């Protein structure tokens, strides 16, 4: 339970201070633990260090500001503690694969690294991470009767064995494929490390299936990482949401839909209901 409390405090502290001076050392101090303890917990649970987590959250929030506001790029950079346009551009391009000016014109999705919420099972042990899906739930409640598409990256664990950055590139590639093939009225969410949800706003099965198939047309296309050509593919499953939707069961239901697609051995599969 102590480890769970440390991580929970760290996540809250980081989220509350994304636009302030923050460091792994200050985060550890706020959690009343050693820096080494905090670094080990982040590496074990999230697979990245504290500084990397802070950077990803800042650049995710910065991306949201780029898409949702007309603010000057330098103003956004300074708000998230980058001292120059150049430094911000390098960091942003490292995560998103393009500079912020190009991102603003080419992307509609910004939640590459959403806020992480901790869950705990019986016995008080830290058991993993769940992305905060409260915003997704709020949108789904307003879109009952429409189709939701769930996507899962194929073989991400094997790609991560090449390098964690190779896995990050595969995730970014999948998000870009979905973003480029969705319509403007569709909303995209990342719900876990390798799973995404697209609210299609479509009530007809064939319309929703067409969107999924357009995304999956790119399955098997490779990305280049450090001399490796890595094929990237996804599973896709769709379901029409009903009024019985419950927030505490949403993640489990979406996971089940993807698992059913895999059990059927079909890259594009549709369930009857949630």
């Amino acid at each position: 339970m102590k480890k769970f409390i440390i991580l929970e405090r760290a996540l809250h502290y980081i989220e509350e201070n994304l636009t302030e001076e923050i460091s792994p050392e200050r985060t550890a101090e706020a959690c009343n633990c050693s820096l080494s303890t905090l670094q080990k917990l982040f590496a074990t649970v999230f697979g990245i260090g504290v500084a990397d987590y802070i950077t990803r959250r800042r650049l995710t929030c910065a991306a949201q500001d780029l898409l949702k506001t007309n603010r000057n790029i330098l103003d956004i950079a300074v708000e998230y503690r980058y001292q120059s346009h150049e430094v911000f551009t390098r960091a942003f391009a490292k995560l998103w694969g393009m500079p912020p000016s190009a991102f603003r014109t080419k992307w509609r999705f910004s939640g590459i690294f959403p806020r992480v919420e901790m869950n705990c099972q019986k016995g008080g042990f830290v058991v993993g991470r769940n992305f905060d899906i409260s915003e997704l739930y709020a949108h789904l409640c307003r879109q009952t009767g429409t189709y939701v598409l769930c996507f899962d990256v194929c073989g991400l664990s094997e790609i991560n064995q090449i390098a964690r950055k190779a896995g990050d590139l595969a995730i970014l590639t999948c998000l870009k494929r979905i973003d480029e093939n969705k319509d403007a009225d569709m909303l995209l969410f990342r719900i876990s490390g390798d799973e995404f949800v697209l609210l299609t706003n479509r009530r007809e099965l064939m319309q929703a299936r067409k969107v999924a198939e357009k995304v999956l047309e790119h399955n098997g296309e490779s990305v280049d990482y450090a001399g490796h050509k890595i094929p990237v593919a996804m599973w896709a499953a769709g379901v029409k949401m009903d009024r019985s939707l419950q927030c505490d069961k949403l993640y489990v239901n979406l996971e089940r839909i993807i698992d059913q697609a895999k059990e059927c051995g079909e890259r594009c599969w549709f369930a009857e209901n949630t």
Side-chain angles (χ1 to χ4, degrees):
M1 182 60 73
K2 182 179 179 181
K3 293 178 180 179
F4 178 87
I5 293 173
I6 290 173
L7 275 176
E8 192 172 45
R9 286 178 178 173
L11 294 173
H12 179 75
Y13 177 80
I14 290 170
E15 209 63 31
E16 293 296 311
N17 291 277
L18 288 175
T19 59
E20 305 296 332
E21 287 289 349
I22 187 175
S23 66
E25 291 79 8
R26 291 187 180 187
T27 305
E29 184 179 349
C31 297
N32 296 314
C33 71
S34 68
L35 177 59
S36 61
T37 295
L38 189 64
Q39 293 282 27
K40 288 178 182 178
L41 285 175
F42 266 70
T44 300
V45 178
F46 306 133
I48 58 176
V50 180
D52 195 5
Y53 180 90
I54 294 170
T55 296
R56 294 183 187 211
R57 284 297 299 134
R58 279 177 166 165
L59 292 175
T60 296
C61 292
Q64 293 170 352
D65 288 349
L66 285 168
L67 296 186
K68 294 180 180 180
T69 74
N70 293 319
R71 294 176 61 200
N72 182 279
I73 291 176
L74 180 58
D75 291 341
I76 295 174
V78 171
E79 179 176 1
Y80 290 101
R81 315 307 294 186
Y82 290 91
Q83 300 305 310
S84 71
H85 189 290
E86 292 75 16
V87 173
F88 175 64
T89 296
R90 285 197 298 270
F92 193 92
K94 187 175 180 181
L95 181 67
W96 285 99
M98 64 180 65
S101 56
F103 174 86
R104 196 169 226 169
T105 61
K106 295 182 178 180
W107 280 76
R108 288 171 290 181
F109 171 77
S110 59
I112 192 170
F113 199 82
R115 179 176 180 170
V116 172
E117 298 286 339
M118 294 302 303
N119 280 327
C120 186
Q121 290 181 342
K122 292 180 179 179
F125 295 101
V126 177
V127 296
R129 64 173 180 175
N130 281 334
F131 289 87
D132 184 0
I133 58 175
S134 57
E135 183 182 358
L136 169 60
Y137 178 76
H139 283 289
L140 280 173
C141 287
R142 295 192 291 269
Q143 296 195 36
T144 56
T146 63
Y147 278 91
V148 173
L149 297 178
C150 306
F151 295 93
D152 188 0
V153 183
C154 300
L156 184 62
S157 58
E158 288 80 6
I159 298 174
N160 279 331
Q161 289 178 6
I162 297 172
R164 174 68 64 171
K165 290 183 179 179
D168 290 343
L169 178 59
I171 289 170
L172 181 63
T173 299
C174 289
L175 286 169
K176 190 173 182 180
R177 289 176 184 176
I178 301 170
D179 192 63
E180 290 178 342
N181 288 284
K182 71 181 182 66
D183 292 337
D185 63 336
M186 298 178 182
L187 296 175
L188 176 59
F189 294 85
R190 185 178 179 185
I191 64 168
S192 75
D194 59 354
E195 295 172 347
F196 322 110
V197 167
L198 179 65
L199 309 188
T200 70
N201 202 28
R202 301 294 183 267
R203 295 182 179 274
E204 298 298 326
L205 172 61
M206 293 307 299
Q207 292 178 331
R209 181 180 290 277
K210 184 177 179 180
V211 175
E213 290 175 346
K214 282 175 62 179
V215 174
L216 297 188
E217 283 178 0
H218 301 277
N219 270 359
E221 294 179 7
S222 298
V223 295
D224 294 322
Y225 176 80
H228 295 272
K229 282 203 170 290
I230 304 171
V232 177
M234 285 182 281
W235 297 90
V239 66
K240 181 178 282 191
M241 305 307 295
D242 58 35
R243 296 185 181 278
S244 65
L245 181 67
Q246 298 180 40
C247 187
D248 59 344
K249 296 180 180 179
L250 176 57
Y251 184 84
V252 174
N253 285 342
L254 295 175
E255 285 264 291
R256 177 175 56 81
I257 293 166
I258 283 289
D259 288 342
Q260 287 174 341
K262 294 177 181 178
E263 289 173 5
C264 293
E266 298 183 21
R267 286 292 167 87
C268 186
W269 180 86
F270 279 75
E272 293 185 3
N273 54 58
T274 54

